[in-house]
Amino acid sequence: RAAAAGMSVFVVSLDRDDVSALCSEVTAAGGRADGVSADLTDEDDAVGAFRRCLDVYGRLDGVAAVAGGSGRRHGDGPVHTIPLDGWDTTVEMNMRPMFLTVREGIRAMRGQGGSIVVISSVLASHPSPRFVTHGYAAAKGSAHGFVRSVAAHYSIDSIRLNVVAPGLVETPMSRRASQDPESVAYARSKQPLSGGFLPPESVASLTVFLLGDEAGHITGQVIEVDGPVDINRIG
């Protein structure tokens, strides 16, 4: 979506094959892309990835911070069941990449301006009794406070930060849930505008909009993409 909007793209992913595949897809469609494999929970890797981006393009105007993951396999769930190491792992895998990505993005944008979009989750503000991952919800809720505080501070530098908080989206992380009939029925009832799990394009489109100049006066916002019809939330 970013490349289709005319942006040069730099891809960072833990999986080297994912980087190559996405860069190839972009260039095959006539766009410009480069990238690097990096572990964004590792400070040296994160710093190196941003340095490589600047080496390739000379500047950085926008960042989409997407790295994170489910902590279920580490014990995340109802708070009374979460082991301490499960809590720590879940929070770290979601907060540490976001912090390092935002920090390095701001370091690259100071003196020129830019836009950073952090991908979060509606679970941060709209808890569900079905999808109970209290460590994950805590990390995403912390991200909202962090982004709003950072956005206020760096607006003087013409750097904007916003959060996109999706509902249930068809992604590799949600594959198990999207194949479970009960979860599919739940998604259909909670997200009637999409008739179930959201297509990732809905999140991508808003993210690219927030990165662009047309959103030049929007900062410090948490924008939900969850397809609801709920009078208590939209009335």
Side-chain angles (χ1 to χ4, degrees), residues 18 31-32 53 57 71 84 88 106 118 121 133 151 155 157 159 183 215-216:
D18 285 347
R32 186 180 180 193
C53 177
Y57 292 128
L84 181 58
D88 290 342
I106 286 175
V118 172
S121 170
T133 49
S155 60
D157 294 299
I159 300 173
S183 296

Side-chain angles (χ1 to χ4, degrees), residues 8 16-17 57 76 84-85 97 102 117 128 174-175 180 190 196 217 223 229 231:
S8 296
R16 189 179 305 276
D17 291 340
Y57 292 128
D76 190 21
L84 181 58
D85 60 345
V102 169
V117 179
S128 165
S174 68
R175 184 172 291 120
D180 171 52
K190 295 295 289 185
H217 298 141
I223 304 176
V229 176
I231 195 169

